[in-house]
Amino acid sequence: RRAASAERTAAANAGAELVAGRAAKAARRGAAGTGALEFRACPAVEELPSPVRCATLRVPLDYARPDGPQIALTVSRVPATRHGGAARQGSLVHNPGGPGASGMSFPLVADLPEWERIGAAYDLVGYAPRGVGRSAPLSCEDPAARAKGPTQVPAEPSAAYKRQRVAAALAYARGCAQRAGAALPYYTTLDNVRDLHVLRAALGEERLTFFGASYGTYLGAVYATLHPGHVRRMVLDSAVDPDPRRIWYVNNLDQAPGFERRWYDFRAWVARHHAAYRLGATPEAVQASYERVREAVARTPAGGTVGTGELQAAFLQAAYYDDVWPQRAAALGAFLAGDPGPLVEQARQEPESAAARENARAVYTAVLCNDASWPAGWETWDRDNTELARRAPFETWANAFLNLPCAYWPVDERQRPVAVGAQPTALPRTLIVAAQRDGATPYPGALELQRRLGTEAALVTEKGAGAHGVVGGRNDCVDRHVERYLLTGDTSGWRVTCAPHPEPAPVSLDDRAARGPGKVPRALLPPVV
């Protein structure tokens, strides 16, 4: 079986080279700077204003059959502005992670001051990976058929609750098979790499300049391993640990203590601003306030829509991004003061976003489940997560149940994770960026990625910080390193550090910002179930 699998992988890789070669030829025949892609005004559904333009890239569903069934991937672009007389350096392609997130809005950063010099030199290119958005969208259940909120999730799952979640995971995996059919095995990191290889060629680029965040770092690292001769520059922000032994089951276990640290960081920040929020002057006291809110919405859902599941989802965002800390703390304080409005506004899940949430969850699940072997017996999951929850209770069980469909995944042959760093030729200089206290992609993953990519891989560390996704307006020091690298190819050293970005300022309970939903500006969070 292993030999047959290797033959199929080799055939798919050969198919990707064939399709990329065709795209490169089409790009050379096309008008200068447009490649094989025909960029036009974006469809209204994309909600992307001018000057962003959109195109469609057709790729094989199965690269082992390059002339077989095709799927269409959506692509967006803003051309290099050439402001200040900057020379155009080609296309900068972005993947925001997930898997399951769309990068179609990436070109909008051209209007931000921190991207001005990069946008002057590069066409900024985003795309929706296979399965995402309008790129052959994947779903595993009808969003309208999902149980409506409020969702009540026990703090410590009972045996009966665990049985319910096992049954739900099995049903979800079966739904993926029923709705995707024969296409289900082709949502993988390797297929995403092949699509990226074709996109590079279709843009008319001999070598790829790439900016990947979160899962996008793993995608970029696998691309660099398989296509080192086609790498120009890579920025890898908030790195996934690429060790094949950790993809993906162990990586997800590793997140639990990381999220626990970030949950502590949030509570410590709230405690320092006790005068503003009245939630407690110590992290332990803030935890007690949170538990009071949790117990209250378990008895009576806030606004009829926010139970303990929605509460957990809202505060998981605080473990990802400190941007939302003031709004989340204000919402807790307002709730305990008798006003549930801010909490309801921030935690409820809008019905109109249900399809997008299900699409993101489906792609996330399919890619992770297809990419590697997972423990097939619930006993292993139960043992590992029970032990983990003793020291990291905040997100352990929610994460386990999110990934549990992989135990029952209806694809006979999973992929074998690529040995990142085993490329036949040396890579050009690459740049890894990481926050030291990141919970979603813990810092040891950045060290492992640097080790695997080799001596030309530089690492910029934001010390003492933990927001997920460091590049692009959060830390001026980090952004200067990234800008210098993208514009010149130079880095400041093998390992350099930046001071943490400023903590958010507190807001008063009377501040109107307390009633606004927290904005999550970067990679899409894993879906919460």
Side-chain angles (χ1 to χ4, degrees):
R1 177 177 288 188
R2 181 171 293 183
S5 177
E7 288 179 5
R8 280 190 290 274
T9 299
N13 290 342
E17 291 296 343
L18 175 64
V19 177
R22 291 172 178 170
K25 289 180 181 178
R28 287 192 293 269
R29 291 195 302 266
T34 64
L37 297 166
E38 187 175 357
F39 284 94
R40 299 178 174 177
C42 295
V45 68
E46 296 289 354
E47 299 182 344
L48 294 173
S50 179
V52 182
R53 309 279 281 179
C54 293
T56 299
L57 177 69
R58 299 195 67 81
V59 297
L61 173 66
D62 174 8
Y63 277 93
R65 301 169 59 203
D67 296 313
Q70 306 282 298
I71 58 176
L73 308 184
T74 58
V75 184
S76 59
R77 187 185 69 174
V78 164
T81 64
R82 312 284 186 94
H83 286 167
R88 180 181 176 274
Q89 296 197 39
S91 299
L92 172 61
V93 180
H94 176 53
N95 181 285
S102 172
M104 288 293 287
S105 64
F106 172 65
L108 295 177
V109 303
D111 291 333
L112 302 178
E114 54 267 23
W115 287 91
E116 182 178 359
R117 294 187 67 204
I118 296 171
Y122 286 97
D123 299 347
L124 301 180
V125 177
Y127 72 108
R130 61 171 57 202
V132 178
R134 296 188 301 116
S135 294
L138 176 67
S139 66
C140 294
E141 64 183 9
D142 181 355
R146 292 206 73 187
K148 301 295 186 296
T151 305
Q152 301 294 9
V153 177
E156 296 184 12
S158 64
Y161 183 76
K162 290 176 183 178
R163 288 193 294 271
Q164 292 176 18
R165 297 310 298 259
V166 167
L170 179 58
Y172 192 79
R174 288 174 175 166
C176 294
Q178 292 167 358
R179 295 172 74 90
L184 189 60
Y186 303 107
Y187 296 93
T188 70
T189 294
L190 283 175
D191 285 306
N192 285 335
V193 165
R194 293 166 186 140
D195 292 343
L196 185 58
H197 196 45
V198 175
L199 175 59
R200 171 203 56 77
L203 289 165
E205 305 292 350
E206 177 62 27
R207 294 187 298 157
L208 175 69
T209 303
F210 179 77
F211 167 37
S214 194
Y215 166 78
T217 67
Y218 182 62
L219 175 65
V222 174
Y223 185 95
T225 300
L226 298 180
H227 304 289
H230 287 287
V231 174
R232 180 177 178 269
R233 291 173 194 162
M234 279 193 168
V235 176
L236 304 174
D237 178 7
S238 304
V240 168
D241 189 329
D243 186 338
R245 296 168 297 181
R246 309 191 86 80
I247 302 293
W248 286 104
Y249 180 71
V250 177
N251 273 342
N252 277 278
L253 293 177
D254 289 342
Q255 287 183 322
F259 283 134
E260 200 69 28
R261 284 191 299 273
R262 289 301 285 161
W263 178 235
Y264 176 87
D265 290 348
F266 167 68
R267 291 183 289 121
W269 177 87
V270 175
R272 288 195 294 275
H273 298 292
H274 176 60
Y277 301 117
R278 300 292 179 185
L279 293 170
T282 66
E284 294 73 21
V286 175
Q287 179 70 35
S289 293
Y290 177 79
E291 294 299 337
R292 287 169 58 199
V293 175
R294 194 182 194 288
E295 291 166 4
V297 300
R299 292 190 301 269
T300 306
T305 60
V306 176
T308 57
E310 290 76 20
L311 181 73
Q312 172 78 12
F315 281 85
L316 174 59
Q317 291 184 5
Y320 272 85
Y321 308 118
D322 53 23
D323 311 55
V324 305
W325 286 2
Q327 289 83 8
R328 294 296 183 270
L332 286 181
F335 184 93
L336 292 175
D339 179 8
L343 182 64
V344 171
E345 193 150 347
Q346 292 177 42
R348 69 183 174 192
Q349 298 193 348
E350 300 296 337
E352 58 267 25
S353 66
R357 292 197 307 272
E358 163 51 24
N359 175 229
R361 181 192 178 195
V363 176
Y364 170 89
T365 303
V367 173
L368 266 62
C369 295
N370 281 328
D371 263 7
S373 296
W374 293 68
W378 164 245
E379 296 78 10
T380 300
W381 294 69
D382 194 17
R383 180 197 66 228
D384 291 346
N385 287 281
T386 297
E387 170 62 28
L388 196 55
R390 293 191 180 103
R391 52 191 173 90
F394 176 67
E395 181 62 11
T396 292
W397 284 113
N399 212 22
F401 294 136
L402 169 65
N403 295 297
L404 189 55
C406 294
Y408 313 106
W409 196 240
V411 172
D412 290 336
E413 291 188 25
R414 317 285 181 97
Q415 299 289 324
R416 297 184 65 195
V418 169
V420 166
Q423 61 271 4
T425 60
L427 287 168
R429 194 163 295 171
T430 54
L431 183 64
I432 303 164
V433 181
Q436 200 172 35
R437 293 181 66 81
D438 188 349
T441 53
Y443 186 67
L447 301 177
E448 178 67 10
L449 179 58
Q450 185 187 33
R451 185 187 72 79
R452 286 176 172 269
L453 291 184
T455 57
E456 291 299 306
L459 172 61
V460 176
T461 299
E462 186 184 24
K463 295 194 71 175
H468 186 61
V470 186
V471 177
R474 180 172 274 137
N475 187 306
D476 291 342
C477 170
V478 170
D479 289 345
R480 285 195 299 271
H481 285 291
V482 171
E483 182 183 273
R484 175 186 178 187
Y485 168 70
L486 286 175
L487 295 181
T488 71
D490 290 335
T491 58
S492 300
W494 182 58
R495 285 186 182 168
V496 297
T497 60
C498 290
H501 64 273
E503 288 187 336
V507 295
S508 138
L509 291 182
D510 296 326
D511 194 316
R512 290 182 181 271
R515 292 190 174 274
K519 181 182 179 184
V520 178
R522 291 171 174 81
L524 189 71
L525 297 176
V528 175
V529 293

